[in-house]
Amino acid sequence: METSVALLLELGVILAALSVLGALARRLTLSPIPLYLLTGLAVGEGGIAPVPAAGEFVEAGAAIGVILLLLVLGLEFSLQEFAVGMRRHVPSAALDAVLNAAPGAVAGWLLGLNGVGILALAGATYISSSGIVARLLSDLHRLGNRETPAVLSVLVLEDLAMAFYLPVLAVLASGGAWWQAALGVLVAVSAVLAAFTVSYRWGHHLGRLVAHPDAEQLLLRVLGLALIVAALAEFVHASAAVGAFLVGLALTGETATRTRAVLSPLRDLFAAVFFLAIGLSVDPGDLLPVLPAALALAAVTLVTKVAVGRYAASRDGVGRRGQWRAGTALIARGEFSLVIVGLVGTTHSTLGPLVTAYVFLLAVAGPLLTRFAGVLPFRSGPVTEEREGAPPPP
């Protein structure tokens, strides 16, 4: 087997650079995500040091990174408790759709886009980045905070909404008939509901199926299962992230603990590749013409996401500081917004650069604002904090 010297060299240099930047971020008690994104911008097409040989590996690694991030996140929670939380946050999801899709739709209308373009931009501003948020919660040690179940409920409900949205957008963008869109929605929603039902009713059998005293066997079984479920979810236009998250939720007890231990290093590696890939997808030369519009749209939807997060956390009885943490955690946009642009293709010359600039701005700003939202002083409300171990009210 012949190995590309350029590929090995580029990957080696990239990983060494990410290591230095990650250590710097940790020293400053920041998440390394913004630095990883900026590194991707620097080594992407049009950057100061392009890495063409590593592009294919980074693209494939990014898809695995999202799956691992959500899989490990799901291991932190139980399916039963999470199902209760999701039912509680249906109003939060409705508010989220109204407040965050509307600015994108209005912006699309003002920019003169057609109906498909308006629908695409509305989806891009609506959906937060599950991958970025999952890594943020881990980096900032907030998985046990009282606001975290509210944040995750909103994220998963957004991803489930994509089961309705993506088939419709794909058919409309390709000029298909209405019945094709309806069929796509029916298949995607049925698959998601079936996955939830199987995980909820028979998920406890999954732990016995994958459990093994050997760490290598456990790693191969769990990762293989997660990738298969994620692939099936993508096949029916549902979310691969939701599929992986459900696998994680279904594993409990000692199996979940051991799985977290064996998967965490792999997750960290591919998560770094995922953030790098977002930066690689951006050509700096395409950003400047659309930067004013992207900044305006980012400013508006930053505020609306914070409002949704605060509302969702308040429904769980979380205090003001936790509400701000929840709101800022949802700011980042990422993988789904770029997928939406990919579905529409090049038929809208303005849409691709605008969404790319918009995603990059919020992917950088979100982690920074989230980090400092946890330390800014707020007056205590009637419900005070928010730390580990305190369950939300029923």
Side-chain angles (χ1 to χ4, degrees), residues 325-345:
R325 287 198 298 256
T328 54
L330 291 170
I331 288 172
R333 304 327 196 261
E335 64 278 8
F336 255 129
S337 299
L338 298 176
V339 167
I340 289 168
V341 174
L343 285 176
V344 175

Side-chain angles (χ1 to χ4, degrees), residues 1 3 8 11 15 22 36 95 106 118 136 152 181 183 186 221 223 227 237 240 285 290 300 306 325 332 351 356 375:
M1 181 177 65
T3 303
L8 295 179
L11 284 178
L15 293 177
Y36 292 167
L95 181 68
V106 171
I118 291 172
L136 270 177
L152 296 181
L183 180 61
L186 179 62
R221 292 180 183 189
L223 183 56
L227 291 174
H237 297 290
V290 296
V300 171
V306 170
R325 287 198 298 256
L351 187 60
T356 302
V375 297

Side-chain angles (χ1 to χ4, degrees), residues 84-374:
V84 172
M86 284 186 61
R87 287 196 295 269
R88 184 188 299 120
H89 286 290
V90 170
S92 305
L95 181 68
D96 185 23
V98 172
L99 289 186
N100 290 290
V106 171
W109 176 71
L110 291 175
L111 291 169
L113 300 179
N114 62 13
V116 173
I118 291 172
L119 182 64
L121 190 52
T125 59
Y126 161 64
I127 185 79
S128 297
S129 171
S130 300
I132 294 178
V133 176
R135 179 59 188 267
L136 270 177
L137 295 175
S138 176
D139 283 345
L140 300 176
H141 307 291
R142 295 180 183 173
L143 290 174
N145 284 22
R146 282 196 63 190
E147 74 273 5
T148 297
V151 172
L152 296 181
S153 295
V154 171
L155 284 177
V156 172
L157 287 167
E158 284 183 354
D159 285 354
L160 291 178
M162 290 292 106
F164 292 87
Y165 172 85
L166 289 179
V168 173
L169 180 65
V171 170
L172 293 177
S174 64
W178 67 268
W179 63 265
Q180 293 175 303
L183 180 61
V185 170
L186 179 62
V187 170
V189 172
S190 299
V192 170
L193 291 177
F196 263 106
T197 302
V198 170
S199 296
Y200 190 83
R201 292 186 177 275
W202 299 288
H204 58 283
H205 295 299
L206 187 61
R208 292 197 293 269
L209 178 66
V210 301
H212 197 280
D214 182 65
E216 179 185 353
Q217 281 294 317
L218 181 64
L219 169 64
L220 293 174
R221 292 180 183 189
V222 174
L223 183 56
L225 177 64
L227 291 174
I228 290 171
V229 172
L232 292 174
E234 283 291 310
F235 180 73
V236 296
H237 297 290
S239 168
V242 168
F245 187 69
L246 284 174
V247 172
L249 284 176
L251 299 177
T252 58
E254 182 184 357
T255 301
T257 302
R258 293 185 60 234
T259 300
R260 279 197 301 271
V262 298
L263 283 180
S264 291
L266 199 63
R267 174 205 61 185
D268 293 341
L269 170 63
F270 282 98
V273 173
F274 164 66
F275 303 125
L276 184 76
I278 293 179
L280 276 171
S281 68
V282 179
D283 186 337
D286 293 337
L287 301 184
L288 293 179
V290 296
L291 197 56
L295 280 168
L297 193 56
V300 171
T301 54
L302 184 154
V303 173
T304 53
K305 274 294 181 185
V306 170
V308 168
R310 293 197 63 191
Y311 172 73
S314 71
R315 290 183 61 82
D316 282 354
V318 177
R320 290 183 183 178
R321 190 187 300 271
Q323 291 176 24
W324 282 103
R325 287 198 298 256
T328 54
L330 291 170
I331 288 172
R333 304 327 196 261
E335 64 278 8
F336 255 129
S337 299
L338 298 176
V339 167
I340 289 168
V341 174
L343 285 176
V344 175
T346 59
T347 54
H348 299 80
S349 59
T350 306
L351 187 60
L354 174 62
V355 172
T356 302
Y358 169 80
V359 166
F360 195 79
L361 287 170
L362 291 183
V364 172
L368 294 174
L369 291 173
T370 306
R371 164 66 179 85
F372 293 109

